[in-house]
Amino acid sequence: MAAIISCHQYSFVATSPLKKSVHHKLSSTATHTNFHFAPSPNNAPIQPLKPLCCSQTPPPFRSPPKQENWFFPSLKGCAISIALAVGLLTGVPALANTTSNPALPDVSVLISGPPIKDPGALLRYALPIDNKAIREVQKPLEDITDSLKLAGVKALDSVERNVRQASRALKQGRTVIVSGLAKSKVDHGIEMLNKLEAGMEELEQIIADRNRDAVSPKQTELLNYVGGVEEDMVDGFPYEVPEEYQNMPLLKGRAAVDMKVKVKDNPSLDECIFRIVLDGYNAPVTAGNFVDLVERHFYDGMEIQRADGFVVQTGDPEGPADGFIDPSTEKTRTIPLEIMANGEKAPFYGATLEELGLYKAQTRLPFNAFGTMAMARDEFEDNSASSQVFWLLKESELTPSNANILDGRYAVFGYITENQDYLADLKVGDVIESIQVVSGLDNLVNPSYKIAG
Protein backbone atom coordinates (compact mmCIF):
# COMPACT_ATOMS: atom_id res chain seq x y z
CA MET A 1 0.00 0.00 0.00
CA ALA A 2 1.00 3.59 -0.03
CA ALA A 3 1.44 5.72 3.03
CA ILE A 4 1.90 9.40 3.57
CA ILE A 5 5.33 10.34 4.86
CA SER A 6 5.90 13.63 6.60
CA CYS A 7 9.49 14.69 6.77
CA HIS A 8 9.95 18.00 8.54
CA GLN A 9 8.15 20.30 6.12
CA TYR A 10 7.10 18.20 3.18
CA SER A 11 4.58 15.42 2.66
CA PHE A 12 4.48 12.92 -0.16
CA VAL A 13 3.53 9.37 -1.02
CA ALA A 14 5.99 6.50 -0.82
CA THR A 15 5.97 2.75 -0.43
CA SER A 16 4.77 1.81 3.03
CA PRO A 17 5.94 -1.05 5.24
CA LEU A 18 2.34 -1.73 6.26
CA LYS A 19 -0.75 -2.84 4.38
CA LYS A 20 -3.50 -0.69 5.79
CA SER A 21 -3.86 3.05 5.44
CA VAL A 22 -2.04 4.80 8.25
CA HIS A 23 -4.89 7.30 8.33
CA HIS A 24 -7.32 4.66 9.56
CA LYS A 25 -5.23 2.17 11.49
CA LEU A 26 -4.52 2.69 15.18
CA SER A 27 -3.06 0.35 17.75
CA SER A 28 -5.63 -2.23 18.72
CA THR A 29 -4.15 -2.71 22.16
CA ALA A 30 -3.58 0.84 23.28
CA THR A 31 -5.92 3.78 23.47
CA HIS A 32 -3.35 6.31 24.51
CA THR A 33 0.37 6.90 24.27
CA ASN A 34 2.54 6.75 27.35
CA PHE A 35 5.59 8.99 27.30
CA HIS A 36 8.51 8.30 29.62
CA PHE A 37 10.90 11.22 29.93
CA ALA A 38 14.39 11.51 31.28
CA PRO A 39 14.73 14.23 33.93
CA SER A 40 15.21 17.65 32.39
CA PRO A 41 17.64 20.23 33.78
CA ASN A 42 16.33 21.89 36.94
CA ASN A 43 13.24 19.68 36.66
CA ALA A 44 11.90 21.99 33.97
CA PRO A 45 9.16 20.44 31.86
CA ILE A 46 10.02 19.52 28.32
CA GLN A 47 8.04 21.79 26.04
CA PRO A 48 7.48 20.61 22.46
CA LEU A 49 8.24 23.16 19.80
CA LYS A 50 5.53 24.43 17.52
CA PRO A 51 5.64 23.27 13.88
CA LEU A 52 7.83 25.40 11.69
CA CYS A 53 5.18 25.33 9.04
CA CYS A 54 2.03 23.56 8.00
CA SER A 55 1.60 21.31 5.01
CA GLN A 56 -1.42 19.60 3.55
CA THR A 57 -1.31 15.83 3.67
CA PRO A 58 -2.24 14.18 0.39
CA PRO A 59 -4.84 11.42 0.61
CA PRO A 60 -3.71 7.79 0.83
CA PHE A 61 -2.77 5.93 -2.35
CA ARG A 62 -2.20 9.15 -4.23
CA SER A 63 0.84 11.13 -5.17
CA PRO A 64 0.86 14.78 -4.08
CA PRO A 65 -0.27 17.34 -6.65
CA LYS A 66 2.56 18.41 -8.91
CA GLN A 67 1.51 22.03 -8.61
CA GLU A 68 0.75 23.20 -5.14
CA ASN A 69 1.65 26.22 -3.05
CA TRP A 70 3.84 25.10 -0.14
CA PHE A 71 4.86 27.64 2.47
CA PHE A 72 8.39 27.60 3.85
CA PRO A 73 9.44 30.02 6.58
CA SER A 74 12.96 30.38 5.25
CA LEU A 75 15.26 29.56 2.40
CA LYS A 76 17.07 27.13 4.66
CA GLY A 77 13.84 25.33 5.45
CA CYS A 78 12.94 25.19 1.78
CA ALA A 79 16.29 23.76 0.78
CA ILE A 80 16.30 21.11 3.46
CA SER A 81 12.70 20.14 2.81
CA ILE A 82 13.30 19.73 -0.91
CA ALA A 83 16.45 17.72 -0.25
CA LEU A 84 14.59 15.43 2.11
CA ALA A 85 11.71 15.04 -0.32
CA VAL A 86 13.93 14.16 -3.26
CA GLY A 87 16.05 11.79 -1.21
CA LEU A 88 13.11 10.03 0.36
CA LEU A 89 11.31 9.59 -2.94
CA THR A 90 14.39 7.97 -4.41
CA GLY A 91 15.50 5.78 -1.58
CA VAL A 92 14.54 6.34 2.03
CA PRO A 93 12.18 3.61 3.26
CA ALA A 94 8.58 4.48 3.99
CA LEU A 95 9.05 3.96 7.69
CA ALA A 96 7.37 7.21 8.44
CA ASN A 97 7.92 9.14 11.61
CA THR A 98 5.05 10.49 13.67
CA THR A 99 6.64 13.84 14.34
CA SER A 100 3.91 16.35 15.00
CA ASN A 101 6.37 19.01 16.13
CA PRO A 102 9.15 19.02 13.56
CA ALA A 103 12.39 20.92 13.84
CA LEU A 104 15.45 21.23 11.69
CA PRO A 105 18.42 19.09 12.75
CA ASP A 106 21.30 20.86 14.37
CA VAL A 107 24.22 21.29 11.99
CA SER A 108 26.70 20.32 14.69
CA VAL A 109 25.06 16.92 14.88
CA LEU A 110 25.16 16.40 11.13
CA ILE A 111 28.89 17.07 10.96
CA SER A 112 29.90 15.09 14.05
CA GLY A 113 32.99 12.87 14.01
CA PRO A 114 33.58 9.71 12.00
CA PRO A 115 30.88 7.17 12.86
CA ILE A 116 31.48 3.58 13.89
CA LYS A 117 30.06 1.33 11.18
CA ASP A 118 31.22 -2.10 12.32
CA PRO A 119 28.32 -3.97 13.96
CA GLY A 120 30.57 -5.73 16.43
CA ALA A 121 32.09 -2.46 17.59
CA LEU A 122 28.65 -0.86 17.88
CA LEU A 123 27.52 -3.71 20.10
CA ARG A 124 30.62 -3.52 22.27
CA TYR A 125 30.28 0.22 22.85
CA ALA A 126 26.56 -0.21 23.55
CA LEU A 127 27.20 -2.38 26.61
CA PRO A 128 26.29 -0.73 29.94
CA ILE A 129 29.81 -0.71 31.32
CA ASP A 130 32.37 1.92 32.28
CA ASN A 131 35.83 0.39 32.26
CA LYS A 132 38.44 2.50 30.53
CA ALA A 133 41.12 -0.19 30.77
CA ILE A 134 39.32 -2.69 28.54
CA ARG A 135 38.38 0.05 26.07
CA GLU A 136 42.08 0.89 25.74
CA VAL A 137 42.66 -2.71 24.68
CA GLN A 138 39.68 -2.71 22.36
CA LYS A 139 40.44 0.47 20.40
CA PRO A 140 43.84 -0.45 18.89
CA LEU A 141 42.53 -3.89 17.95
CA GLU A 142 39.66 -2.23 16.09
CA ASP A 143 42.14 0.15 14.44
CA ILE A 144 43.71 -2.85 12.68
CA THR A 145 40.90 -2.58 10.14
CA ASP A 146 42.13 0.84 9.03
CA SER A 147 45.75 -0.28 9.13
CA LEU A 148 45.01 -3.06 6.64
CA LYS A 149 43.78 -0.45 4.17
CA LEU A 150 47.31 0.88 3.80
CA ALA A 151 49.34 -0.18 0.79
CA GLY A 152 52.22 -2.62 0.81
CA VAL A 153 54.48 -3.14 3.78
CA LYS A 154 53.04 -0.13 5.59
CA ALA A 155 49.93 -2.13 6.44
CA LEU A 156 51.66 -4.81 8.50
CA ASP A 157 53.93 -2.25 10.13
CA SER A 158 50.85 -0.32 11.25
CA VAL A 159 49.13 -3.52 12.44
CA GLU A 160 52.23 -4.33 14.48
CA ARG A 161 51.97 -0.97 16.25
CA ASN A 162 48.27 -1.61 16.93
CA VAL A 163 49.00 -5.00 18.48
CA ARG A 164 51.84 -3.68 20.63
CA GLN A 165 49.59 -0.90 21.89
CA ALA A 166 46.82 -3.37 22.74
CA SER A 167 49.24 -5.77 24.45
CA ARG A 168 50.72 -2.97 26.51
CA ALA A 169 47.24 -1.77 27.51
CA LEU A 170 46.27 -5.30 28.55
CA LYS A 171 49.34 -5.79 30.72
CA GLN A 172 49.04 -2.39 32.38
CA GLY A 173 45.28 -2.54 32.87
CA ARG A 174 44.68 -6.21 33.63
CA THR A 175 44.10 -5.63 37.35
CA VAL A 176 41.56 -2.89 36.65
CA ILE A 177 39.86 -5.06 34.03
CA VAL A 178 39.54 -8.02 36.40
CA SER A 179 38.21 -5.78 39.15
CA GLY A 180 35.46 -4.68 36.77
CA LEU A 181 34.15 -8.20 36.17
CA ALA A 182 30.82 -9.13 37.74
CA LYS A 183 31.38 -11.42 40.71
CA SER A 184 29.37 -14.23 39.16
CA LYS A 185 31.38 -14.01 35.92
CA VAL A 186 34.95 -13.59 37.15
CA ASP A 187 36.15 -17.06 36.18
CA HIS A 188 34.78 -16.80 32.64
CA GLY A 189 36.14 -13.26 32.27
CA ILE A 190 39.64 -14.32 33.31
CA GLU A 191 39.44 -17.23 30.87
CA MET A 192 38.59 -14.75 28.08
CA LEU A 193 41.50 -12.50 29.12
CA ASN A 194 43.94 -15.43 29.00
CA LYS A 195 42.73 -16.35 25.51
CA LEU A 196 43.03 -12.72 24.47
CA GLU A 197 46.60 -12.51 25.70
CA ALA A 198 47.59 -15.74 23.96
CA GLY A 199 45.82 -14.66 20.79
CA MET A 200 47.74 -11.38 20.64
CA GLU A 201 51.00 -13.32 20.87
CA GLU A 202 49.82 -15.43 17.95
CA LEU A 203 48.95 -12.29 15.99
CA GLU A 204 52.45 -10.93 16.62
CA GLN A 205 53.84 -14.12 15.08
CA ILE A 206 51.48 -13.77 12.10
CA ILE A 207 52.86 -10.29 11.54
CA ALA A 208 56.44 -11.53 11.87
CA ASP A 209 55.67 -14.13 9.20
CA ARG A 210 54.25 -11.31 7.02
CA ASN A 211 51.05 -13.31 6.59
CA ARG A 212 48.70 -10.46 5.79
CA ASP A 213 45.72 -12.68 4.93
CA ALA A 214 45.71 -14.21 8.42
CA VAL A 215 45.51 -10.86 10.22
CA SER A 216 41.81 -10.09 9.79
CA PRO A 217 40.49 -13.49 11.00
CA LYS A 218 42.72 -13.30 14.05
CA GLN A 219 41.58 -9.73 14.71
CA THR A 220 37.96 -10.91 14.67
CA GLU A 221 38.82 -13.66 17.15
CA LEU A 222 40.55 -11.25 19.51
CA LEU A 223 37.70 -8.75 19.42
CA ASN A 224 35.28 -11.56 20.24
CA TYR A 225 37.34 -12.23 23.36
CA VAL A 226 37.24 -8.52 24.21
CA GLY A 227 33.48 -8.50 23.76
CA GLY A 228 33.19 -11.54 26.01
CA VAL A 229 35.19 -9.81 28.75
CA GLU A 230 33.04 -6.70 28.45
CA GLU A 231 29.82 -8.69 28.66
CA ASP A 232 31.18 -10.33 31.79
CA MET A 233 31.36 -6.86 33.33
CA VAL A 234 27.59 -6.47 33.18
CA ASP A 235 26.12 -7.47 36.53
CA GLY A 236 22.44 -8.26 36.07
CA PHE A 237 20.02 -6.04 34.18
CA PRO A 238 20.86 -2.35 34.70
CA TYR A 239 17.39 -0.76 35.05
CA GLU A 240 13.68 -1.36 35.58
CA VAL A 241 11.40 -1.52 32.57
CA PRO A 242 8.30 0.71 33.04
CA GLU A 243 5.53 -1.06 34.93
CA GLU A 244 3.07 -1.09 32.03
CA TYR A 245 5.53 -3.11 29.92
CA GLN A 246 6.92 -5.43 32.59
CA ASN A 247 4.59 -8.30 31.70
CA MET A 248 5.56 -8.26 28.03
CA PRO A 249 8.24 -10.62 26.68
CA LEU A 250 11.50 -8.91 27.65
CA LEU A 251 15.05 -9.73 26.58
CA LYS A 252 17.15 -8.82 29.62
CA GLY A 253 20.53 -9.18 28.01
CA ARG A 254 21.55 -10.31 24.56
CA ALA A 255 20.65 -13.15 22.26
CA ALA A 256 21.86 -14.37 18.89
CA VAL A 257 19.69 -15.85 16.15
CA ASP A 258 20.45 -17.49 12.82
CA MET A 259 18.15 -16.55 9.95
CA LYS A 260 18.26 -19.03 7.07
CA VAL A 261 16.99 -17.60 3.79
CA LYS A 262 16.28 -19.53 0.59
CA VAL A 263 17.34 -17.36 -2.33
CA LYS A 264 15.42 -17.76 -5.59
CA ASP A 265 16.67 -17.24 -9.14
CA ASN A 266 20.24 -16.51 -8.13
CA PRO A 267 22.79 -18.89 -9.66
CA SER A 268 25.55 -17.67 -7.36
CA LEU A 269 23.60 -17.92 -4.08
CA ASP A 270 21.16 -20.66 -3.14
CA GLU A 271 20.71 -19.96 0.55
CA CYS A 272 22.36 -17.93 3.24
CA ILE A 273 22.45 -17.94 7.03
CA PHE A 274 22.60 -14.54 8.67
CA ARG A 275 23.80 -14.28 12.28
CA ILE A 276 21.92 -11.51 14.11
CA VAL A 277 22.81 -10.25 17.58
CA LEU A 278 19.83 -8.80 19.47
CA ASP A 279 20.51 -6.20 22.16
CA GLY A 280 18.12 -6.42 25.07
CA TYR A 281 20.24 -4.15 27.23
CA ASN A 282 19.16 -1.19 25.13
CA ALA A 283 15.85 -2.47 23.72
CA PRO A 284 14.44 -5.13 26.07
CA VAL A 285 10.82 -4.82 24.96
CA THR A 286 11.58 -4.71 21.24
CA ALA A 287 14.15 -7.50 21.29
CA GLY A 288 12.00 -9.58 23.64
CA ASN A 289 9.01 -9.27 21.33
CA PHE A 290 11.11 -10.48 18.39
CA VAL A 291 12.64 -13.44 20.24
CA ASP A 292 9.18 -14.47 21.42
CA LEU A 293 7.92 -14.41 17.83
CA VAL A 294 10.96 -16.39 16.69
CA GLU A 295 10.19 -19.07 19.27
CA ARG A 296 6.62 -19.18 17.93
CA HIS A 297 8.14 -19.80 14.45
CA PHE A 298 6.20 -16.76 13.29
CA TYR A 299 8.74 -15.89 10.58
CA ASP A 300 9.43 -19.43 9.36
CA GLY A 301 8.27 -19.79 5.76
CA MET A 302 7.58 -16.05 5.40
CA GLU A 303 8.76 -14.28 2.28
CA ILE A 304 10.93 -11.20 2.01
CA GLN A 305 8.30 -8.55 1.34
CA ARG A 306 10.41 -5.58 0.42
CA ALA A 307 13.89 -5.26 -1.05
CA ASP A 308 14.34 -1.91 -2.76
CA GLY A 309 18.04 -1.28 -2.39
CA PHE A 310 17.54 0.71 0.79
CA VAL A 311 15.96 -1.80 3.16
CA VAL A 312 15.01 -5.46 3.30
CA GLN A 313 11.74 -5.99 5.13
CA THR A 314 9.47 -8.80 6.28
CA GLY A 315 7.03 -9.67 9.07
CA ASP A 316 3.64 -8.80 7.50
CA PRO A 317 1.53 -11.96 7.92
CA GLU A 318 -1.01 -13.20 5.41
CA GLY A 319 -4.52 -11.88 5.86
CA PRO A 320 -5.87 -8.49 6.86
CA ALA A 321 -3.73 -8.08 9.99
CA ASP A 322 -0.54 -6.03 9.78
CA GLY A 323 1.14 -7.81 12.67
CA PHE A 324 1.09 -10.72 15.08
CA ILE A 325 -2.33 -11.69 16.40
CA ASP A 326 -1.96 -12.84 20.00
CA PRO A 327 -4.09 -16.00 20.36
CA SER A 328 -4.80 -15.17 24.00
CA THR A 329 -6.43 -11.84 23.12
CA GLU A 330 -7.26 -12.35 19.43
CA LYS A 331 -5.87 -8.85 18.89
CA THR A 332 -2.71 -7.50 17.30
CA ARG A 333 0.10 -7.40 19.82
CA THR A 334 1.86 -4.06 19.62
CA ILE A 335 4.88 -2.75 21.44
CA PRO A 336 5.96 0.80 22.36
CA LEU A 337 8.58 2.78 20.51
CA GLU A 338 11.77 2.20 22.51
CA ILE A 339 14.84 4.41 22.07
CA MET A 340 17.96 4.42 24.22
CA ALA A 341 20.00 7.63 23.99
CA ASN A 342 23.62 8.02 24.99
CA GLY A 343 23.98 9.30 28.53
CA GLU A 344 20.65 7.86 29.66
CA LYS A 345 20.28 4.97 32.09
CA ALA A 346 17.06 3.65 30.53
CA PRO A 347 15.28 3.94 27.17
CA PHE A 348 12.59 6.46 26.31
CA TYR A 349 9.20 4.96 25.54
CA GLY A 350 6.30 6.16 23.45
CA ALA A 351 7.94 9.12 21.70
CA THR A 352 10.68 9.91 19.20
CA LEU A 353 13.71 11.82 20.37
CA GLU A 354 12.55 14.69 18.20
CA GLU A 355 9.16 14.74 19.91
CA LEU A 356 10.96 14.84 23.25
CA GLY A 357 12.94 17.87 22.12
CA LEU A 358 16.23 15.93 22.23
CA TYR A 359 17.47 17.12 18.87
CA LYS A 360 21.18 16.65 19.62
CA ALA A 361 20.85 13.29 21.36
CA GLN A 362 22.68 10.32 19.86
CA THR A 363 21.14 6.87 20.00
CA ARG A 364 22.97 4.04 21.72
CA LEU A 365 22.06 1.74 18.82
CA PRO A 366 22.38 3.92 15.71
CA PHE A 367 21.58 3.16 12.08
CA ASN A 368 25.30 3.05 11.32
CA ALA A 369 25.94 -0.47 10.12
CA PHE A 370 24.94 -2.29 6.97
CA GLY A 371 22.33 -4.71 8.30
CA THR A 372 21.06 -2.57 11.18
CA MET A 373 17.80 -4.20 12.35
CA ALA A 374 14.78 -2.19 13.45
CA MET A 375 11.00 -2.27 13.81
CA ALA A 376 8.63 -0.90 11.17
CA ARG A 377 5.56 0.96 12.40
CA ASP A 378 2.72 3.25 11.37
CA GLU A 379 3.53 6.84 10.56
CA PHE A 380 1.18 8.50 13.02
CA GLU A 381 1.34 6.00 15.88
CA ASP A 382 4.61 5.61 17.79
CA ASN A 383 3.43 2.52 19.63
CA SER A 384 2.16 0.53 16.65
CA ALA A 385 5.10 -1.82 15.94
CA SER A 386 4.19 -5.49 16.06
CA SER A 387 6.06 -8.00 13.91
CA GLN A 388 7.34 -6.17 10.83
CA VAL A 389 11.10 -5.69 10.84
CA PHE A 390 13.60 -4.23 8.42
CA TRP A 391 17.33 -4.19 7.81
CA LEU A 392 19.11 -1.11 6.52
CA LEU A 393 21.07 -1.66 3.34
CA LYS A 394 22.72 1.56 2.34
CA GLU A 395 23.92 4.90 3.52
CA SER A 396 22.91 7.94 1.52
CA GLU A 397 23.38 11.68 1.73
CA LEU A 398 20.19 11.88 3.78
CA THR A 399 21.03 8.99 6.07
CA PRO A 400 24.72 9.41 6.96
CA SER A 401 25.81 7.16 9.80
CA ASN A 402 25.27 8.67 13.24
CA ALA A 403 23.31 11.66 11.89
CA ASN A 404 20.38 10.44 9.84
CA ILE A 405 16.63 10.75 9.59
CA LEU A 406 16.00 7.28 11.06
CA ASP A 407 17.91 7.51 14.35
CA GLY A 408 15.62 8.32 17.23
CA ARG A 409 12.49 7.61 15.20
CA TYR A 410 12.65 3.84 14.78
CA ALA A 411 13.62 1.25 17.37
CA VAL A 412 16.91 -0.45 16.53
CA PHE A 413 17.38 -3.67 18.46
CA GLY A 414 20.15 -5.58 16.73
CA TYR A 415 22.70 -5.95 13.97
CA ILE A 416 23.57 -8.63 11.44
CA THR A 417 27.10 -9.62 12.39
CA GLU A 418 27.80 -12.43 9.90
CA ASN A 419 27.13 -12.59 6.15
CA GLN A 420 25.57 -9.14 6.14
CA ASP A 421 27.03 -8.43 2.70
CA TYR A 422 24.65 -11.00 1.21
CA LEU A 423 21.69 -9.03 2.48
CA ALA A 424 21.83 -6.92 -0.68
CA ASP A 425 21.27 -10.06 -2.77
CA LEU A 426 17.86 -10.74 -1.24
CA LYS A 427 14.76 -9.84 -3.20
CA VAL A 428 11.01 -9.94 -2.80
CA GLY A 429 9.82 -13.53 -2.78
CA ASP A 430 12.92 -15.07 -1.22
CA VAL A 431 11.84 -17.27 1.68
CA ILE A 432 12.92 -17.21 5.30
CA GLU A 433 13.17 -20.94 5.91
CA SER A 434 13.79 -20.51 9.62
CA ILE A 435 14.99 -18.23 12.37
CA GLN A 436 16.47 -19.99 15.38
CA VAL A 437 17.83 -18.69 18.66
CA VAL A 438 21.38 -19.99 19.05
CA SER A 439 22.27 -18.27 22.32
CA GLY A 440 20.74 -16.06 24.99
CA LEU A 441 17.27 -17.61 25.14
CA ASP A 442 17.63 -17.79 28.92
CA ASN A 443 17.63 -13.97 28.92
CA LEU A 444 14.02 -13.92 27.70
CA VAL A 445 11.60 -13.04 30.50
CA ASN A 446 7.81 -13.55 30.27
CA PRO A 447 7.93 -15.69 27.13
CA SER A 448 4.39 -15.85 25.83
CA TYR A 449 5.20 -18.64 23.39
CA LYS A 450 5.20 -21.05 26.33
CA ILE A 451 1.56 -20.22 27.03
CA ALA A 452 -0.97 -22.44 25.32
CA GLY A 453 -1.89 -20.96 21.96
Side-chain angles (χ1 to χ4, degrees):
M1 60 153 281
I4 308 305
I5 297 191
S6 298
C7 190
H8 293 292
Q9 299 165 316
Y10 194 80
S11 297
F12 51 90
V13 175
T15 306
S16 168
L18 301 180
K19 288 183 177 178
K20 294 183 179 179
S21 168
V22 295
H23 289 289
H24 302 293
K25 178 178 179 295
L26 293 177
S27 168
S28 59
T29 60
T31 58
H32 65 281
T33 300
N34 294 315
F35 289 0
H36 291 271
F37 301 92
S40 58
N42 302 321
N43 295 319
I46 298 175
Q47 296 294 337
L49 298 179
K50 294 182 179 180
L52 294 178
C53 70
C54 296
S55 63
Q56 295 179 349
T57 302
F61 307 100
R62 293 179 60 188
S63 298
K66 293 183 179 179
Q67 295 180 354
E68 187 156 353
N69 295 322
W70 299 95
F71 172 73
F72 297 105
S74 66
L75 181 61
K76 177 182 177 181
C78 181
I80 292 180
S81 298
I82 292 174
L84 287 171
V86 172
L88 286 168
L89 283 171
T90 57
V92 175
L95 306 167
N97 78 48
T98 64
T99 303
S100 59
N101 302 304
L104 297 176
D106 189 275
V107 175
S108 64
V109 175
L110 295 179
I111 61 175
S112 57
I116 299 172
K117 299 183 181 181
D118 178 71
L122 289 168
L123 288 164
R124 286 188 289 272
Y125 284 111
L127 285 167
I129 64 171
D130 183 17
N131 189 291
K132 184 178 179 181
I134 190 63
R135 298 299 195 198
E136 289 179 344
V137 177
Q138 174 184 331
K139 183 62 167 61
L141 291 177
E142 291 173 343
D143 288 343
I144 290 175
T145 300
D146 290 331
S147 294
L148 289 174
K149 295 177 183 178
L150 299 175
V153 69
K154 291 182 179 179
L156 288 177
D157 290 344
S158 182
V159 171
E160 184 175 19
R161 288 192 292 271
N162 296 144
V163 177
R164 287 179 178 175
Q165 182 181 351
S167 297
R168 183 167 57 251
L170 178 58
K171 292 177 181 178
Q172 294 177 349
R174 187 182 180 98
T175 301
V176 176
I177 293 172
V178 172
S179 68
L181 296 170
K183 291 182 180 180
S184 61
K185 303 177 183 178
V186 170
D187 291 342
H188 183 264
I190 291 176
E191 179 184 350
M192 291 292 100
L193 283 174
N194 292 337
K195 289 182 177 180
L196 175 61
E197 188 172 17
M200 284 197 284
E201 293 176 357
E202 293 170 1
L203 182 52
E204 288 176 349
Q205 185 59 50
I206 289 173
I207 297 168
D209 295 339
R210 315 308 284 176
N211 187 356
R212 180 170 178 157
D213 292 340
V215 172
S216 185
K218 179 59 69 172
Q219 175 203 22
T220 299
E221 177 187 330
L222 297 181
L223 286 172
N224 285 337
Y225 293 145
V226 170
V229 172
E230 292 175 344
E231 288 202 47
D232 286 341
M233 292 179 172
V234 182
D235 190 6
F237 195 70
Y239 56 87
E240 287 292 327
V241 174
E243 184 177 357
E244 57 263 52
Y245 310 130
Q246 287 182 0
N247 292 327
M248 290 182 168
L250 304 174
L251 186 65
K252 292 192 170 184
R254 287 183 173 169
V257 301
D258 281 349
M259 180 174 71
K260 183 177 181 181
V261 180
K262 179 70 174 179
V263 182
K264 297 180 180 180
D265 304 322
N266 188 334
S268 61
L269 184 65
D270 180 57
E271 65 180 28
C272 187
I273 298 177
F274 300 92
R275 173 64 56 87
I276 308 170
V277 176
L278 310 172
D279 189 354
Y281 289 122
N282 295 292
V285 177
T286 311
N289 174 73
F290 181 77
V291 173
D292 188 71
L293 292 176
V294 166
E295 287 301 294
R296 287 176 175 270
H297 304 286
F298 175 84
Y299 298 98
D300 294 0
M302 188 173 287
E303 293 186 349
I304 298 298
Q305 296 154 352
R306 180 179 178 184
D308 56 10
F310 189 77
V311 299
V312 168
Q313 184 169 324
T314 192
D316 187 356
E318 294 184 1
D322 292 327
F324 167 66
I325 302 296
D326 190 336
S328 65
T329 63
E330 297 184 349
K331 296 180 180 179
T332 302
R333 184 173 80 187
T334 58
I335 59 175
L337 178 62
E338 184 177 43
I339 306 291
M340 176 71 89
N342 286 334
E344 300 294 335
K345 294 183 179 180
F348 294 104
Y349 290 91
T352 67
L353 294 185
E354 193 172 40
E355 289 168 340
L356 296 173
L358 302 175
Y359 305 113
K360 295 185 180 181
Q362 299 291 311
T363 55
R364 188 79 60 81
L365 298 176
F367 281 92
N368 282 19
F370 190 96
T372 299
M373 186 176 188
M375 295 298 298
R377 61 176 177 82
D378 282 356
E379 178 183 5
F380 298 111
E381 178 55 54
D382 289 338
N383 296 341
S384 61
S386 177
S387 59
Q388 296 194 42
V389 299
F390 69 94
W391 294 271
L392 185 69
L393 287 182
K394 74 175 184 179
E395 178 180 315
S396 72
E397 292 80 3
L398 289 177
T399 58
S401 295
N402 218 32
N404 61 64
I405 60 176
L406 301 180
D407 280 337
R409 295 173 175 86
Y410 298 92
V412 174
F413 63 101
Y415 297 97
I416 296 181
T417 59
E418 294 180 17
N419 293 325
Q420 59 265 43
D421 290 344
Y422 291 105
L423 196 63
D425 293 320
L426 301 186
K427 57 187 178 301
V428 173
D430 290 343
V431 178
I432 299 174
E433 293 187 338
S434 66
I435 304 182
Q436 297 181 331
V437 180
V438 295
S439 66
L441 185 58
D442 55 337
N443 292 326
L444 182 65
V445 179
N446 309 324
S448 73
Y449 71 89
K450 292 185 176 181
I451 302 175

